[in-house]
């Protein structure tokens, strides 16, 4: 009994000597059990004499700390000084994986708690391929199929490839790389990322979200048209091959080389054109933008189905959308390959290929060619829409985004080039059948190229039903990828900006966002909806997003600093960007974007659709829609300066100084116990 009493007395004495240090440690271990997986980011570290040295001594020799809180090497626990005696509890491993070591020096015990983060760990891609397919699916969209081939033959055929590649190398790819690197390093969406770069430019993020909404208002309507065509294809005879339908007019003529009794005049229309304009769009029931007419219930149902697919693909985040793109990003390539093989075997295909690639070197002296090349590569790769920032933010910190940028941008450009062969082999076939020149057949650009010219060509092929089904499925798949990406950019931005409100309510937020997009798209489903789509496409998004990206490049290169940005990349990837990339970010990319903006202002596009010329007031309306998104940038600048404290100089200095993230400056709790 005496021995037991002595042992208990000794233990009580030891407990008292441990004092608050041990109790604090116990509290931390209990807190670790309660936090669960969140506590995995917490580390307990004990250091000798830390009260005198301060918290900075903790990081010296513990691995290089970088500006977003990651370490370049595994942190080392502090060494025990000479003459110290480690207690029996010298090293402990908590339930969250945190480690702690104790040291005794002159009876003074110091406990330091380094709290890295108590937030939920950020979602990541299941596989690297999910990320690559998502980026490729976003970059490769409908514009690759209808816009690039038309722009190419219009601007000198094969000669256009020279300005296109130059604009890609010096403008498009550096912007693409910059956005991937920014998103991956700061792990934030397009709104909250700006407090780590240049807080006064945060309005850029809000402007990007509004632009993404405008795009969702009209872009998905094109997929609704394609879905209407797809459902109409499940018939033995495709409805746009005959002139005996209820919607056809007396001017309808099915004019092919086999129809010897048909005479074609300037007033004649093909059955494919009448199906598109009078049955799908019903544009003949609307005199113009001033009187759009009622909503087409068929297109409303088609669009509802499209948005239903979109919702259930993105509602759970990149874990679900990353799996969906395995189908939506790869299926179009399979269809393009099938259509290319089929098109190459058609009579007259060579005429289309020659027309597509025959170089006209004199066109390179025209400024319009270079403007079109710059605009095409910019809208094809798609920097500035917040999507690349969002996708890259879900990557592992040390993922090689440099290689990803080169691979995905190369795939995008090659896809555009391949699509030209798919389109022009069929146009050559149409020219052969009609006994016309290729340029007479390929006079339409944009959706009309797909829904009139290509649809008519498919209808006159053997196995027309099969080719029609896979072609319009491909159009839907190409559009779905871009819609997933555009909305994910908005969702990531809002969840990162308002995490406490929206993170646990993601499904409801996505549902509300999709409903807003559907309601906003109703104007494009009216009888004059095609005019609204054209208005949004020409004015609401183009100039605004280019201006936003120009400000983004200036903010990163000139305010945040190219050296700081390159240091971030070195910490993340292990190598410093070369001189080429630094020069592009500082000088060439801003000039590239400024060149496009000035060309838009100097040569405003003449907007025309079918036989309708947009009146001057629609130009004013279009620019007002565009300015409504861009106005967020100066508005937030004024708001930020008014709410900052101090003199105007102090406010201005603070507004261009990056704010440290919660992971940059960790909280240190220092407890001394005797």
């Amino acid at each position: 009994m005496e021995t037991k009493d002595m042992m208990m007395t000794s233990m009580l004495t030891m407990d008292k000597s441990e004092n608050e240090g041990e109790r604090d440690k116990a509290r931390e271990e209990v807190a670790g059990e309660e936090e669960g997986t969140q506590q995995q980011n917490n580390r307990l570290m004990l250091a000798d004499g830390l009260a005198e040295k301060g918290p900075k001594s903790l990081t010296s020799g513990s691995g290089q700390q970088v500006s977003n809180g990651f370490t370049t090497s595994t942190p080392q626990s502090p060494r025990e000084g000479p003459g110290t005696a480690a207690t029996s509890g010298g090293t402990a491993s908590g339930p969250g994986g945190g480690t702690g070591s104790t040291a005794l020096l002159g009876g003074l015990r110091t406990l330091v708690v380094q709290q890295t983060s108590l937030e939920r760990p950020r979602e990541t891609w299941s596989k690297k391929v999910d990320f690559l397919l998502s980026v490729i699916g976003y970059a490769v969209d409908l514009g690759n199929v209808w816009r690039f081939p038309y722009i190419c033959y219009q601007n000198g055929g094969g000669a256009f490839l020279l300005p296109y590649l130059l604009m890609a190398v010096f403008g498009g790819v550096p912007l693409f790389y910059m956005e991937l690197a920014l998103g991956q390093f700061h792990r934030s969406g397009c709104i909250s990322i700006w407090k780590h770069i240049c807080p006064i430019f945060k309005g850029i993020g809000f402007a990007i979200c509004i632009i993404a909404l405008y795009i969702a208002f009209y872009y998905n309507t094109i997929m609704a048209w394609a879905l209407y065509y797809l459902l109409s294809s499940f018939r033995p005879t495709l409805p746009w091959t005959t002139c005996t339908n209820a919607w056809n007019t007396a001017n309808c003529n099915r004019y092919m080389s086999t129809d010897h009794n048909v005479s074609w005049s300037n007033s004649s229309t093909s059955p494919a054109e009448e199906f598109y304009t009078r049955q799908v769009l019903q544009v003949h029931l609307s005199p113009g933008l001033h009187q759009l007419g009622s909503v087409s219930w068929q297109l409303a149902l088609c669009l509802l189905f499209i948005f239903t697919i979109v919702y259930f693909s993105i509602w759970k985040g990149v874990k679900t959308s990353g799996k969906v793109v395995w189908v939506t990003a790869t299926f179009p390539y399979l269809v393009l390959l099938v259509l290319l093989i089929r098109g190459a075997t058609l009579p007259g295909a060579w005429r289309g290929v020659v027309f597509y690639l025959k170089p006209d070197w004199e066109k390179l002296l025209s400024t319009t060619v270079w403007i079109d090349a710059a605009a095409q590569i910019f809208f094809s790769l798609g920097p500035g829409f917040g999507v690349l920032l969002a996708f890259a933010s879900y990557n592992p910190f040390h993922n090689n985004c440099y290689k990803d940028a080169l691979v995905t941008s190369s795939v995008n450009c090659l896809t555009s080039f391949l699509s030209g062969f798919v389109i022009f082999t069929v146009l050559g076939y149409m020219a052969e059948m009609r006994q016309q020149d290729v340029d007479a057949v390929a006079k339409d650009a944009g959706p009309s190229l797909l829904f009139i010219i290509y649809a008519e060509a498919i209808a006159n092929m053997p196995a027309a039903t099969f080719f029609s089904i896979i072609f319009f499925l491909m159009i839907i798949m190409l559009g779905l990828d871009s819609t997933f990406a555009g909305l994910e950019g908005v969702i990531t931005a809002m969840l990162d900006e308002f995490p406490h409100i929206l993170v646990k309510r993601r499904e409801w937020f996505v549902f509300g966002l999709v409903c807003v997009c559907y309601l906003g798209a109703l104007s494009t489903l009216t009888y004059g909806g095609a005019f609204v789509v054209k208005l949004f496409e020409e004015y609401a998004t183009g100039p605004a997003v280019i201006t936003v990206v120009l400000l983004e490049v200036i903010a990163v290169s000139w305010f945040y600093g190219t050296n700081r940005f390159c240091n971030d990349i070195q910490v993340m990837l292990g190598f410093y960007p070369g001189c080429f990339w630094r020069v592009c970010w500082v000088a060439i990319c801003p000039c590239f974007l400024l060149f496009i903006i000035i060309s838009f202002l100097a040569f405003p596009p003449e907007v025309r659709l079918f036989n309708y010329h947009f009146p001057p007031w629609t130009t004013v309306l279009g620019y007002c829609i565009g300015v409504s998104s861009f106005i967020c940038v100066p508005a937030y600048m004024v708001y930020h300066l008014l709410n900052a404290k101090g003199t105007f100089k102090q406010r201005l200095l603070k507004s261009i100084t990056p704010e440290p993230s919660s992971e940059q400056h960790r909280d240190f709790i220092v407890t001394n116990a005797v």
Side-chain angles (χ1 to χ4, degrees):
M1 289 293 293
E2 291 180 359
T3 305
K4 291 181 180 179
D5 290 341
M6 291 175 62
M7 291 177 62
M8 291 178 63
T9 304
S10 175
M11 291 173 63
L12 288 172
T13 304
M14 291 178 61
D15 289 343
K16 291 179 181 179
S17 66
E18 299 288 339
N19 208 345
E20 295 179 1
E22 291 296 320
R23 286 201 298 270
D24 287 347
K25 180 179 178 181
R27 291 194 195 101
E28 290 299 324
E29 292 178 349
V30 172
E33 294 174 354
E34 293 176 350
E35 291 294 341
T37 58
Q38 293 181 359
Q39 191 66 19
Q40 292 180 4
N41 292 328
N42 295 351
R43 294 197 296 269
L44 300 177
M45 303 183 68
L46 293 165
D48 300 331
L50 192 67
E52 291 82 6
K53 296 180 181 179
K56 290 183 180 179
S57 64
L58 188 66
T59 57
S60 60
S62 301
Q64 182 182 356
Q65 297 289 332
V66 298
S67 63
N68 73 337
F70 288 88
T71 53
T72 57
S73 61
T74 305
Q76 302 291 328
S77 58
R79 294 181 301 169
E80 295 180 352
T84 60
T87 65
S88 59
T91 303
S93 179
T99 60
S101 64
T102 59
L104 198 60
L105 181 61
L108 178 66
R109 186 177 300 241
T110 303
L111 175 64
V112 179
V113 179
Q114 185 182 13
Q115 181 176 329
T116 57
S117 177
L118 292 179
E119 298 176 357
R120 297 175 66 181
R122 190 171 184 83
E123 187 180 13
T124 57
W125 298 96
S126 299
K127 297 179 181 178
K128 173 68 174 289
V129 182
D130 294 355
F131 166 71
L132 292 176
L133 288 177
S134 296
V135 175
I136 291 172
Y138 160 67
V140 178
D141 64 351
L142 297 175
N144 294 71
V145 177
W146 79 47
R147 181 172 167 80
F148 177 83
Y150 178 81
I151 293 293
C152 187
Y153 91 77
Q154 192 181 45
N155 290 291
F160 177 74
L161 298 177
L162 177 61
Y164 179 77
L165 291 176
L166 288 176
M167 291 296 180
V169 170
F170 291 100
V173 178
L175 290 171
F176 197 85
Y177 177 27
M178 183 188 77
E179 285 217 346
L180 287 181
L182 283 173
Q184 184 171 305
F185 185 84
H186 294 286
R187 303 175 74 80
S188 299
C190 63
I191 297 177
S192 56
I193 193 174
W194 287 102
K195 64 185 178 184
H196 309 311
I197 299 174
C198 189
I200 200 172
F201 283 98
K202 191 175 182 179
I204 289 177
F206 293 105
I208 288 173
C209 291
I210 295 175
I211 291 171
L213 285 179
Y214 288 159
I215 294 173
F217 289 168
Y218 77 87
Y219 190 81
N220 296 282
T221 301
I222 300 173
M223 284 187 285
W225 300 344
L227 180 59
Y228 192 102
Y229 268 85
L230 176 65
L231 297 176
S232 301
S233 299
F234 291 95
R235 303 180 186 181
T237 303
L238 296 178
W240 56 88
T241 58
T242 62
C243 292
T244 58
N245 303 288
W247 58 83
N248 291 124
T249 66
N251 293 326
C252 180
N253 282 321
R254 187 177 181 274
Y255 180 61
M256 301 296 282
S257 62
T258 54
D259 302 322
H260 300 290
N261 298 327
V262 176
S263 58
W264 188 268
S265 64
N266 293 331
S267 61
S268 298
T269 55
S270 66
E273 181 179 350
E274 292 200 347
F275 178 79
Y276 177 57
T277 58
R278 300 180 63 85
Q279 175 64 10
V280 180
L281 302 182
Q282 302 183 66
V283 73
H284 64 287
L285 299 177
S286 171
L289 278 171
H290 61 283
Q291 189 177 342
L292 294 176
S294 59
V295 173
S296 169
W297 66 268
Q298 298 98 327
L299 292 180
L301 289 178
C302 289
L303 186 63
L304 181 63
F305 182 75
I306 293 294
F307 272 119
T308 302
I309 296 175
V310 170
Y311 174 72
F312 286 107
S313 299
I314 65 175
W315 69 322
K316 292 291 186 182
V318 295
K319 295 291 185 183
T320 54
S321 63
K323 296 296 179 288
V324 176
V325 293
W326 280 79
V327 177
T328 58
T330 56
F331 181 78
Y333 285 97
L334 178 63
V335 176
L336 284 175
L337 183 62
V338 171
L339 292 176
L340 177 62
I341 295 173
R342 181 68 188 108
T345 59
L346 293 172
W350 63 273
R351 293 177 58 187
V353 174
V354 169
F355 186 80
Y356 173 45
L357 293 180
K358 183 180 179 181
D360 184 358
W361 299 107
E362 293 182 359
K363 286 285 187 73
L364 296 183
L365 301 176
S366 172
T367 310
T368 308
V369 174
W370 295 86
I371 294 172
D372 287 344
Q376 173 61 26
I377 191 63
F378 176 83
F379 288 111
S380 181
L381 291 177
F385 292 92
V387 174
L388 301 177
L389 289 173
F391 280 171
S393 72
Y394 298 114
N395 274 336
F397 181 68
H398 295 292
N399 173 66
N400 192 343
C401 60
Y402 170 70
K403 184 171 69 174
D404 295 343
L406 296 181
V407 170
T408 52
S409 56
S410 299
V411 168
N412 175 69
C413 295
L414 290 174
T415 304
S416 298
F417 188 60
L418 173 67
S419 299
F421 288 98
V422 174
I423 296 295
F424 275 92
T425 52
V426 171
L427 292 181
Y429 163 71
M430 288 290 293
E432 184 80 12
M433 292 294 100
R434 288 187 175 183
Q435 297 179 348
Q436 292 179 317
D437 293 332
V438 179
D439 58 348
V441 177
K443 63 180 183 298
D444 292 316
S448 298
L449 183 64
L450 302 180
F451 293 112
I452 297 178
I453 305 298
Y454 208 92
E456 185 176 0
I458 288 176
N460 289 280
M461 293 180 187
T465 299
F466 169 74
F467 286 109
S468 177
I469 290 172
I470 64 169
F471 176 73
F472 290 110
L473 261 180
M474 179 191 75
I475 298 300
I476 295 172
M477 297 288 185
L478 287 172
L480 282 175
D481 287 336
S482 299
T483 298
F484 295 161
L487 293 183
E488 186 60 54
V490 177
I491 294 165
T492 299
M494 299 304 290
L495 262 62
D496 287 346
E497 183 66 13
F498 308 104
H500 302 296
I501 302 174
L502 299 177
V503 166
K504 294 183 179 179
R505 302 176 180 87
R506 178 189 170 100
E507 291 86 354
W508 287 106
F509 174 69
V510 175
F511 180 76
L513 179 65
V514 169
C515 289
V516 169
C517 292
Y518 182 79
L519 294 175
L522 288 179
S523 63
T524 65
L525 303 177
T526 58
Y527 298 144
F531 304 138
V532 181
V533 170
K534 188 69 173 178
L535 183 72
F536 271 108
E537 186 180 10
E538 292 292 339
Y539 293 111
T541 57
V545 76
I546 296 173
T547 307
V548 163
V549 177
L550 174 62
L551 293 178
E552 179 183 321
V553 174
I554 291 173
V556 173
S557 300
W558 299 358
F559 287 86
Y560 186 69
T562 306
N563 290 334
R564 182 186 294 177
F565 179 49
C566 292
N567 287 333
D568 293 345
I569 293 178
Q570 185 176 24
V571 165
M572 186 168 59
L573 303 184
F575 58 86
Y576 199 82
C579 181
F580 167 76
W581 300 106
R582 298 198 300 273
V583 171
C584 284
W585 290 327
V586 171
I588 298 179
C589 285
C591 294
F592 166 77
L593 295 167
L594 198 61
F595 172 69
I596 303 177
I597 294 171
I598 293 174
S599 69
F600 268 114
L601 298 176
F603 309 103
E606 180 187 357
V607 185
R608 181 179 62 86
L609 184 64
F610 307 125
N611 296 322
Y612 178 71
H613 290 267
F614 284 62
W617 66 267
T618 60
T619 304
V620 177
L621 175 63
Y623 279 120
C624 286
I625 297 174
V627 171
S628 67
S629 58
F630 178 72
I631 198 68
C632 293
V633 180
Y636 185 84
M637 289 180 175
V638 174
Y639 167 80
H640 189 81
L641 289 173
L642 290 177
N643 282 271
K645 297 180 180 180
T647 64
F648 180 76
K649 183 178 180 181
Q650 291 172 335
R651 295 181 184 189
L652 192 61
L653 184 62
K654 184 179 179 181
S655 64
I656 61 175
T657 303
E659 298 177 6
S661 66
S662 59
E663 295 180 349
Q664 280 180 303
H665 294 274
R666 300 179 172 88
D667 296 324
F668 292 90
I669 305 171
V670 181
T671 303
N672 297 330
V674 179

